[in-house]
Amino acid sequence: MDLELKKYFDNMFSDIDNNIKLDEDQISAITNENDYVLILAGAGTGKTTTMVGKVKYLVDIKKVDPSKILVISYTKKAVEELQDIINDKFNINADVTTFHSLAYKYVRKIFKDRKCDIVDYNIREEIFYEFMNKLYKEGKMYDLMNTFTSQTTNIKYFGYGEILYKNYYKYKSYDEYFYAFKKMKIEEALNVGIEKVVDELIAKKINYDEYITTIEGKLVKSAAEAIIANFLYKHGIDYEYEKEYTRLVADRKPYKPDFTLNLGGIPVYLEYFGLDNEKYNRIKEKKKELHNKYNNRFICLENIKLDEIESVLDVNLKQMGFIYRDRNYVEIYNQLLDNNKLTEVNKLKKLFYDTIGQIKENKNRSEYIKIVNECINKCEDEELVKQYRKQFYYINEFYCYYSKKLINTDITRFDYSDLMFYSNKYMLDKQFLNDLDYDYIIIDEYQDISDGEYTLARNTSNKSRAKVFAVGDDWQSIYSFRGSNISYITKFGNYFTNPTVLSIRKTYRNSQELVDIAGAFIKENADQISKDLISFKHLLKPIHFVPYDDRIDGINIDESYEYEKLRELILKIHKVSPDHRVLILGRKNKMISKIFEYNKDFIDDLNTKVRIENIDDLELDAMTIHKSKGLTYDEVIIIGMNKNFPTEEIPKFWLMNLFKPQLPDEPIKFAEERRIFYVALTRTKNNVFIMYNRNTKNRSEFVDELMEICKEKNK
């Protein structure tokens, strides 16, 4: 490398962060000019820095037009992080997007003569509710329940089960049934304390549900927005969420304030600013200038902790002149129930949507009826054949009903499965997407790619003759339940001709000792790509095993003992390192919720935040291992390492199995569960504390295996 180029790389990030220095592996990856390159970026090795460095190098040194660079990641959060650095800090106008947004862009071009839109959560809820009413009025409810219940004592796909099963015949419609169900729930809540019931339900909708929704059922983007919307509703203040601002703004883009409130016919605009980065701050200042320019009534909430939003908002609203018309808890609970009309059939709804989603994502979806009939005809069990035919009858009826609902004279709606299917089906057609002109496609988190996403990326590359630069880590492939297929990264050469595979080996997060232990654990799977990570950090014993008992004095006790020990452990960590951020990890959400159930000293704060009674200066979070991927904390505690982790996968519904992606057979049992545990081990800068049961019958086999590895390494 000549001196000028070395100087360029030495100072590549100096304008935004002097602490960021590229190592030799990163520079080798960035400068590689092969058509197809896979970069294996281990945990904490600077994956994002390498991707951004590649984009900047292409523009600065190779003189590639920024508009011909496509960067794809999975989540909106990851894309915003990349946009902040690439588009804003480096002022490079590359196309940075999610797979979802990319497919939607293609679909809008393919179906340019139609008005296109996305199917959101509320639309899906509405369609399924209408479908349930349809079946109810057709007299099919009893047959439906029996069809999806293996035994009458196990109402598997119904919420409260016995209530609907025993009382459905009293009502003429699901509407009528739900009215009676709602009345019963309100009476129950009044008997046990309606305030507690309502507050817990609201908290669940902010913290634990897949989608964050308000009391009124509005889908919002963040916990902060949900808190604001709920406060406004509770106090009877009229508002609209993300209503488009009527005046034309400077860049002519549509502007939608977070909330538009009604103060006696006068609009009051409310914005919550929860982030703090260069791009976000510029947007914030522009919005402030706009409202000042037009003398708008404007409430700006910024740099406020989630638990302080209500008190600050209260002061602002009263200063603005709002008068509260408080709603009582019965009214609020009634509204919450109205927004959850499918409570009784939530499991059935999930089954139906998951199944048709699996069919719709399959490349053979146009022949799905033929495929199902062939499967049923091969079955020799007559009772099973009857059951399969009945189940398929209802799911197919819903599939047809749902599909018709998405298309009308004014608008055509697409869900994620449709976006992938139609963009891949038509994009290589000569009459579509002829304006695609990318030179480079850079793919983030490549280990998570699914069949449809791989096909989309590959088709985009073929259509525009673009080079592919994929970055990922097969050791952290943990999303097969979402359709990710690890073979796209482990067998990269099967999908891209004559590729170059490089590794970024220097980790800036974990100590070398932890790297060696976690590496030995993950390498038990021979299909994982072998790589040796290097760290300049050292910590003699980074993994600590913290025992607890499931018996005291020979008497069985419940698992609350683990959570009592958890509190003791956190206090010890905090005493030694009071400024360290601590993360509690569990395999499932229920493990996290048990923290608050079994020990009342733990207080469930918003999002992942946890407080412990009478300890104010502790920064503590708790979440599932999946949710922690990509995050870094000073100290990590892993709980729930019992005999259920790892565990055998629960067999999927037969129709889903029929259309699920064909994943590779790996040479080791619990291969993905092993990767999940590896992700947990590598979230720390310093120590990992693994809580384990002294009783070997009741603890995870991973604990014993890791203990042996630690003993060997410590020699």
Side-chain angles (χ1 to χ4, degrees):
M1 184 188 304
D2 63 47
L3 289 176
E4 282 299 311
L5 194 56
K6 184 181 184 304
K7 184 179 177 182
Y8 168 77
F9 282 119
D10 286 345
N11 295 286
M12 178 178 269
F13 288 86
S14 59
D15 289 344
I16 62 171
D17 190 340
N18 275 319
N19 294 317
I20 299 177
K21 301 293 181 185
L22 295 170
D23 60 40
E24 291 179 8
D25 288 346
Q26 290 173 310
I27 293 171
S28 294
I30 289 167
T31 56
N32 192 284
E33 281 298 308
N34 200 344
D35 287 350
Y36 306 115
V37 181
L38 171 64
I39 306 300
L40 296 168
T45 57
K47 168 180 67 71
T48 301
T49 302
T50 305
M51 291 174 59
V52 171
K54 179 70 175 180
V55 174
K56 186 166 172 56
Y57 170 77
L58 290 174
V59 173
D60 292 347
I61 305 300
K62 305 303 291 184
K63 305 304 178 185
V64 176
D65 182 342
S67 67
K68 294 187 177 184
I69 301 173
L70 172 65
V71 182
I72 316 174
S73 193
Y74 283 83
T75 65
K76 187 178 178 183
K77 183 179 178 182
V79 164
E80 285 176 348
E81 181 186 356
L82 290 165
Q83 287 173 336
D84 179 51
I85 305 172
I86 296 170
N87 300 150
D88 297 312
K89 289 177 179 173
F90 281 143
N91 198 28
I92 296 172
N93 193 30
D95 191 357
V96 184
T97 183
T98 60
F99 278 103
H100 185 278
S101 295
L102 183 66
Y104 186 35
K105 181 172 80 172
Y106 291 168
V107 160
R108 289 200 307 272
K109 289 183 176 182
I110 292 166
F111 297 97
K112 60 184 178 182
D113 296 330
R114 304 183 197 176
K115 185 177 180 182
C116 302
D117 200 2
I118 299 294
V119 178
D120 65 18
Y121 168 82
N122 289 325
I123 291 171
R124 285 162 65 95
E125 290 287 293
E126 181 184 329
I127 290 174
F128 198 80
Y129 186 76
E130 291 172 359
F131 181 70
M132 290 307 299
N133 256 318
K134 173 180 176 291
L135 293 185
Y136 215 123
K137 290 173 181 176
E138 291 172 354
K140 295 178 180 177
M141 186 56 64
Y142 180 72
D143 187 53
L144 175 74
M145 289 188 293
N146 281 337
T147 298
F148 289 94
T149 303
S150 55
Q151 299 171 9
T152 54
T153 55
N154 177 22
I155 316 296
K156 190 174 180 182
Y157 293 109
F158 297 86
Y160 290 87
E162 293 294 336
I163 300 172
L164 180 61
Y165 197 79
K166 291 180 178 178
N167 295 283
Y168 77 93
Y169 63 90
K170 299 176 184 176
Y171 310 102
K172 296 177 181 177
S173 67
Y174 191 82
D175 267 329
E176 196 176 305
Y177 167 77
F178 178 73
Y179 179 80
F181 173 79
K182 185 170 66 169
K183 186 177 178 183
M184 177 198 74
K185 295 300 292 179
I186 291 173
E187 288 174 359
E188 282 181 1
L190 287 168
N191 288 332
V192 300
I194 194 166
E195 293 88 351
K196 184 173 183 290
V197 172
V198 169
D199 289 343
E200 286 180 353
L201 187 53
I202 291 172
K204 179 179 181 293
K205 291 189 162 300
I206 295 176
N207 293 331
Y208 301 117
D209 280 5
E210 184 179 356
Y211 303 97
I212 300 175
T213 53
T214 68
I215 291 170
E216 295 175 276
K218 291 185 173 75
L219 195 67
V220 292
K221 295 188 178 76
S222 68
E225 290 184 342
I227 293 167
I228 293 167
N230 290 343
F231 187 88
L232 297 173
Y233 176 79
K234 286 176 182 178
H235 295 295
I237 295 173
D238 294 334
Y239 74 91
E240 290 184 73
Y241 177 65
E242 292 194 333
K243 179 185 178 183
E244 190 163 332
Y245 185 66
T246 52
R247 291 181 183 271
L248 197 65
V249 297
D251 56 8
R252 305 184 69 84
K253 290 181 180 178
Y255 166 46
K256 297 179 180 180
D258 292 338
F259 298 90
T260 303
L261 284 55
N262 180 7
L263 180 60
I266 300 170
V268 176
Y269 303 101
L270 191 159
E271 291 273 15
Y272 174 81
F273 301 106
L275 299 178
D276 185 17
N277 59 52
E278 195 172 321
K279 175 188 177 183
Y280 198 73
N281 289 335
R282 281 201 301 271
I283 294 171
K284 177 171 65 177
E285 291 308 314
K286 282 185 179 179
K287 290 180 178 180
K288 286 182 179 179
E289 288 170 10
L290 172 73
H291 292 294
N292 284 333
K293 179 181 178 181
Y294 293 109
N295 295 314
N296 291 332
R297 298 199 178 198
F298 179 52
I299 296 174
C300 176
L301 303 180
E302 56 182 321
N303 302 320
I304 302 171
K305 293 180 180 178
L306 291 178
D307 58 358
E308 296 173 354
I309 287 175
E310 289 190 342
S311 59
V312 175
L313 180 57
D314 180 51
V315 171
N316 277 271
L317 290 172
K318 287 175 178 174
Q319 286 177 346
M320 194 67 70
F322 282 96
I323 298 171
Y324 294 171
R325 301 183 304 278
D326 291 349
R327 290 181 164 94
N328 61 46
Y329 270 91
V330 171
E331 190 177 354
I332 294 169
Y333 191 35
N334 190 74
Q335 180 66 55
L336 284 165
L337 290 169
D338 274 345
N339 295 327
N340 291 274
K341 293 180 179 179
L342 295 168
T343 298
E344 279 287 83
V345 291
N346 263 337
K347 291 181 180 179
L348 187 76
K349 177 192 71 178
K350 186 177 188 309
L351 175 74
F352 275 38
Y353 272 124
D354 286 351
T355 303
I356 68 169
Q358 199 85 74
I359 294 170
K360 282 154 69 76
E361 286 179 26
N362 192 281
K363 61 184 179 182
N364 298 315
R365 79 185 234 175
S366 58
E367 298 180 334
Y368 77 95
I369 293 177
K370 177 185 173 185
I371 293 169
V372 172
N373 285 330
E374 285 176 354
C375 169
I376 293 174
N377 291 336
K378 288 177 184 177
C379 183
E380 296 179 356
D381 185 327
E382 289 186 13
E383 287 302 312
L384 207 55
V385 167
K386 288 180 184 177
Q387 180 183 322
Y388 282 178
R389 290 200 185 282
K390 266 286 184 69
Q391 289 175 342
F392 180 59
Y393 165 79
Y394 283 111
I395 286 178
N396 188 48
E397 186 173 353
F398 176 64
Y399 188 177
C400 297
Y401 183 85
Y402 174 71
S403 299
K404 287 177 183 176
K405 284 286 180 179
L406 299 189
I407 302 172
N408 58 47
T409 53
D410 299 321
I411 193 166
T412 301
R413 292 189 171 94
F414 298 84
D415 57 23
Y416 188 68
S417 305
D418 291 326
L419 293 177
M420 284 295 157
F421 179 79
Y422 286 115
S423 55
N424 283 324
K425 181 177 181 179
Y426 293 115
M427 70 180 298
L428 295 183
D429 193 304
K430 291 181 180 179
Q431 63 178 312
F432 297 117
L433 301 174
N434 292 321
D435 59 341
L436 278 191
D437 191 19
Y438 294 118
D439 288 342
Y440 288 86
I441 301 170
I442 298 172
I443 308 173
D444 187 18
E445 302 286 7
Y446 191 74
Q447 75 281 345
D448 295 334
I449 202 161
S450 68
D451 292 350
E453 290 156 353
Y454 159 75
T455 306
L456 188 74
R458 181 78 226 205
N459 285 344
T460 301
S461 171
N462 290 343
K463 187 86 175 183
S464 55
R465 297 181 181 178
K467 294 183 177 183
V468 174
F469 184 87
V471 184
D473 181 13
D474 63 300
W475 292 7
Q476 298 185 73
S477 178
I478 61 173
Y479 287 110
S480 66
F481 67 92
R482 290 186 189 168
S484 68
N485 186 336
I486 193 174
S487 68
Y488 286 119
I489 188 168
T490 56
K491 304 289 190 290
F492 191 75
N494 292 352
Y495 302 99
F496 294 99
T497 308
N498 299 321
T500 297
V501 179
L502 301 171
S503 291
I504 305 173
R505 296 167 296 170
K506 290 180 183 175
T507 177
Y508 301 92
R509 178 191 300 159
N510 312 134
S511 65
Q512 185 64 54
E513 290 76 10
L514 190 139
V515 164
D516 291 342
I517 293 166
F521 177 79
I522 199 68
K523 287 177 185 177
E524 284 295 315
N525 182 352
D527 271 11
Q528 302 289 174
I529 302 172
S530 182
K531 47 188 175 286
D532 295 309
L533 301 183
I534 303 165
S535 174
F536 295 109
K537 289 176 63 174
H538 288 279
L539 195 59
L540 187 58
K541 291 186 178 180
I543 297 181
H544 307 266
F545 297 92
V546 183
Y548 64 90
D549 299 288
D550 63 357
R551 291 172 180 268
I552 296 179
D553 298 327
I555 302 173
N556 283 318
I557 65 168
D558 60 29
E559 52 198 350
S560 63
Y561 192 62
E562 177 181 4
Y563 296 93
E564 183 58 40
K565 294 290 286 187
L566 173 63
R567 183 183 184 280
E568 292 176 15
L569 173 60
I570 293 169
L571 296 182
K572 285 179 182 177
I573 294 170
H574 186 55
K575 186 176 181 181
V576 174
S577 306
D579 60 335
H580 279 199
R581 297 170 67 235
V582 181
L583 173 63
I584 304 169
L585 289 177
R587 176 66 180 85
K588 300 280 188 180
N589 270 319
K590 63 182 178 182
M591 291 177 184
I592 303 303
S593 62
K594 284 177 182 177
I595 294 173
F596 314 105
E597 179 184 339
Y598 286 129
N599 194 318
K600 300 306 178 185
D601 286 347
F602 288 96
I603 300 166
D604 186 7
D605 212 342
L606 290 166
N607 289 337
T608 61
K609 299 295 179 187
V610 179
R611 288 186 287 124
I612 297 181
E613 195 72 50
N614 301 321
I615 302 176
D616 298 324
D617 60 340
L618 171 62
E619 191 166 352
L620 179 64
D621 286 80
M623 64 186 76
T624 63
I625 299 170
H626 278 92
K627 196 168 187 177
S628 75
K629 190 166 171 290
L631 301 180
T632 301
Y633 282 74
D634 297 302
E635 315 289 346
V636 167
I637 302 169
I638 305 175
I639 63 173
M641 295 301 298
N642 53 44
K643 61 183 179 181
N644 293 320
F645 179 34
T647 187
E648 297 286 354
E649 184 181 350
I650 299 171
K652 286 187 176 180
F653 184 59
W654 68 277
L655 264 173
M656 291 181 69
N657 279 330
L658 198 57
F659 292 94
K660 73 178 182 180
Q662 293 300 308
L663 301 179
D665 290 327
E666 298 188 70
I668 194 169
K669 194 177 180 184
F670 303 126
E672 182 156 300
E673 295 284 292
R674 180 173 292 269
R675 292 190 288 270
I676 292 168
F677 190 47
Y678 172 82
V679 168
L681 292 172
T682 54
R683 295 310 92 202
T684 185
K685 290 181 183 178
N686 300 296
N687 300 285
V688 178
F689 300 86
I690 299 172
M691 303 197 67
Y692 75 97
N693 198 321
R694 290 188 199 270
N695 186 340
T696 56
K697 294 179 180 178
N698 292 336
R699 72 169 176 247
S700 168
E701 62 190 65
F702 284 168
V703 172
D704 294 314
E705 184 179 341
L706 201 67
M707 282 180 171
E708 287 301 314
I709 293 172
C710 288
K711 285 179 186 176
E712 186 64 31
K713 295 293 180 183
N714 289 337
K715 287 180 182 178

